[in-house]
Amino acid sequence: MPASYLHGVETIEIDKGPRPVQLVKTAVIGIVGTAAAGPVNTPILVSNERDFAQFGEDNREPTGAETALLNPQQLAPIASGLTVSPTQIRMSAIFGGEQYYVIREVGLWAGSPGSAGAILVAYWSQATGDLAVKSPGVDFVFSHDMSIDSAAPGANLTIVADTAQAPLLALLAEHERKPDPHPQYLTEPRLRPLLERVNTTWSTSGVAPVLSITPATPVSSYVAGQRWRVRFHAGGTGNDTLSVSGLAGKSLKQYDAYGAKIAAVIVAGLIADVEYDGVDVVVLDSLPGNPTPAGQVSYFARSTAPTGYLKANGAAVSRTSYAALFAAIGTTFGAGDGSSTFHLPDLRGEFIRGVDEGRGADAGRVLGSWQVDQFKSHVHGTIQMIGDNAVDGVDSTTRYSGDHHNESRYTDPTGGNETRPRNVALLACIKF
């Protein structure tokens, strides 16, 4: 038996209802009651495999006329007992198993409930409140003290004494031999992996979007609530997963400022607490307000795309690696290979114009469409002068015939190879 477990006794008396009740704050519960039936003033120890203690889960104010529990949950044979005083006996039983319930009523039976001749000898409950909790995997040791008074009719209950208490001691010995007799307690072996997860930072490995960590204490399966502190060795792609101890990768998510769970924003060197929520591994630090949405185009005074962005250069990129961006723009700027890739917008050397969307200023255009340069239709007027010389800046060839002449005019060439306003060149990038 682990030395840290205490099987001592601290008794609290509750004076509610027709019978006083004593609670023992440990693995043992003691209840003082008055027998509904039994030999008068004959405190003899109960130890009979046909006699049982029973726990139930409902409340009521006892009247003394109870014949069964309202909501029975578990039955255990009375294992042993002893004579406490000339008018008081003590009976004990151990409730084991994986059941979970709240104890709100207790019954002692001569015979098994439901069998012929079975009698509910003693009963305890109260109008409201809980007595104790039966936890899964916990051996619950129950001890009941019963005082027999002169009101109990004789010849209704036979009590067999076993002052050695051998059955109960055997059950206690079996209980104490268990490697972990009290799983409800947080022991050092259980505490170590919990502290390891929250106090140790595990660096990721792999190539985004497939990342992994390997804690010193291996994880055999994912359980909601598991938490790790992680240092990301590389930036993410917007569609990242995290594998723990070689298990299948789970999507990395993060909550934005508005409470929506979205793809996590992972940058190289980021240290964050992550928690498995039963579906995804969630980065617990929420994103700041007004997060940049996938598909937003921004201009930068630098030659490389910042983290989280791609150059808007018309390249074909993976639909899975950049899933959030693909969900935002689809194949608007090109379908890539038609299955696994899609094209980014190509904004190199281009001016941006707002899509018309029915206004009529640029009719017939759709989102992402390209347009060549153009002059709006117009005319240039000239002044004709008669003489040997042409108008300054205008070459003139004139032929006269009779009272009329034919004349051709054109302006001298000027300008460059395109039409443009003054501008500054910046790097166009798109958020993924």
Side-chain angles (χ1 to χ4, degrees):
M1 171 186 175
S4 59
Y5 294 127
L6 173 65
H7 292 85
V9 176
E10 178 185 352
T11 304
I12 300 175
E13 183 168 296
I14 301 176
D15 189 11
K16 294 182 180 179
R19 301 177 179 85
V21 174
Q22 288 185 346
L23 305 182
V24 179
K25 293 181 65 178
T26 180
V28 180
I29 292 180
I31 301 178
V32 174
T34 302
V40 178
N41 296 325
T42 308
I44 308 173
L45 183 66
V46 170
S47 179
N48 192 311
E49 64 181 4
R50 297 174 302 171
D51 302 321
F52 296 88
Q54 189 176 42
F55 287 157
E57 206 172 20
D58 277 0
N59 290 103
R60 65 176 162 184
E61 193 71 44
T63 64
E66 289 76 16
T67 59
L69 277 65
L70 285 173
N71 186 9
Q73 294 296 315
Q74 191 175 4
L75 193 68
I78 293 175
S80 186
L82 57 85
T83 300
V84 178
S85 71
T87 60
Q88 186 175 345
I89 59 175
R90 178 171 297 156
M91 294 158 287
S92 301
I94 295 181
F95 291 77
E98 299 298 322
Q99 296 94 322
Y100 170 83
Y101 52 87
V102 179
I103 303 169
R104 298 188 179 98
E105 52 181 344
V106 180
L108 294 179
W109 290 86
S112 178
S115 63
I119 300 173
L120 182 63
V121 176
Y123 178 82
W124 177 91
S125 186
Q126 56 188 4
T128 59
D130 304 333
L131 175 62
V133 173
K134 170 62 178 69
S135 298
V138 175
D139 289 336
F140 193 105
V141 182
F142 168 79
S143 181
H144 174 82
D145 282 17
M146 183 167 66
S147 296
I148 303 176
D149 60 27
S150 58
N156 289 333
L157 180 65
T158 301
I159 302 175
V160 180
D162 177 13
T163 55
Q165 305 180 74
L168 180 61
L169 292 176
L171 285 173
L172 280 173
E174 179 183 354
H175 163 75
E176 294 174 357
R177 281 194 300 269
K178 294 180 177 180
D180 190 5
H182 292 277
Q184 76 273 33
Y185 300 149
L186 185 60
T187 58
E188 194 273 338
R190 288 196 187 94
L191 184 61
R192 187 188 305 115
L194 296 177
L195 292 176
E196 177 186 278
R197 289 174 190 168
V198 298
N199 292 336
T200 305
T201 301
W202 305 105
S203 292
T204 59
S205 59
V207 178
V210 181
L211 305 173
S212 64
I213 58 172
T214 307
T217 301
V219 175
S220 58
S221 63
Y222 293 112
V223 178
Q226 290 170 326
R227 184 179 294 193
W228 302 272
R229 190 164 181 80
V230 176
R231 180 186 183 279
F232 292 93
H233 76 290
T237 65
N239 189 37
D240 305 291
T241 62
L242 182 68
S243 166
V244 181
S245 298
L247 299 175
K250 298 294 182 180
S251 295
L252 276 164
K253 299 291 185 179
Q254 195 168 17
Y255 285 94
D256 65 17
Y258 311 104
K261 188 163 72 170
I262 62 174
V265 176
I266 306 299
V267 297
L270 172 68
I271 297 177
D273 290 321
V274 301
E275 181 174 320
Y276 179 62
D277 66 359
V279 179
D280 305 303
V281 175
V282 179
V283 178
L284 297 182
D285 296 329
S286 61
L287 292 169
N290 299 318
T292 303
Q296 178 172 314
V297 171
S298 299
Y299 288 83
F300 297 94
R302 52 187 290 173
S303 61
T304 58
T307 299
Y309 288 82
L310 295 171
K311 289 183 178 180
N313 59 6
V317 296
S318 169
R319 298 186 182 190
T320 55
S321 296
Y322 301 100
L325 178 57
F326 180 63
I329 69 173
T331 58
T332 301
F333 301 93
D337 63 6
S339 59
S340 63
T341 63
F342 69 105
H343 280 100
L344 303 176
D346 193 351
L347 302 182
R348 296 172 297 176
E350 302 289 0
F351 292 101
I352 304 302
R353 183 175 190 173
V355 66
D356 186 89
E357 288 198 324
R359 181 184 179 189
D362 189 23
R365 298 288 301 284
V366 296
L367 181 69
S369 61
W370 183 78
Q371 193 176 54
V372 298
D373 59 338
Q374 187 182 66
F375 277 118
K376 187 174 182 178
S377 177
H378 65 285
V379 297
H380 292 274
T382 63
I383 299 174
Q384 181 179 358
M385 295 182 65
I386 304 300
D388 295 335
N389 299 316
V391 178
D392 186 27
V394 179
D395 290 336
S396 177
T397 301
T398 304
R399 293 176 298 164
Y400 294 94
S401 175
D403 59 356
H404 68 276
H405 66 273
N406 295 326
E407 187 175 89
S408 298
R409 296 175 180 271
Y410 58 90
T411 61
D412 291 334
T414 186
N417 59 2
E418 65 176 357
T419 301
R420 62 173 180 255
R422 291 177 56 178
N423 61 83
V424 174
L426 296 174
L427 179 64
C429 297
I430 187 167
K431 186 73 174 68
F432 63 78

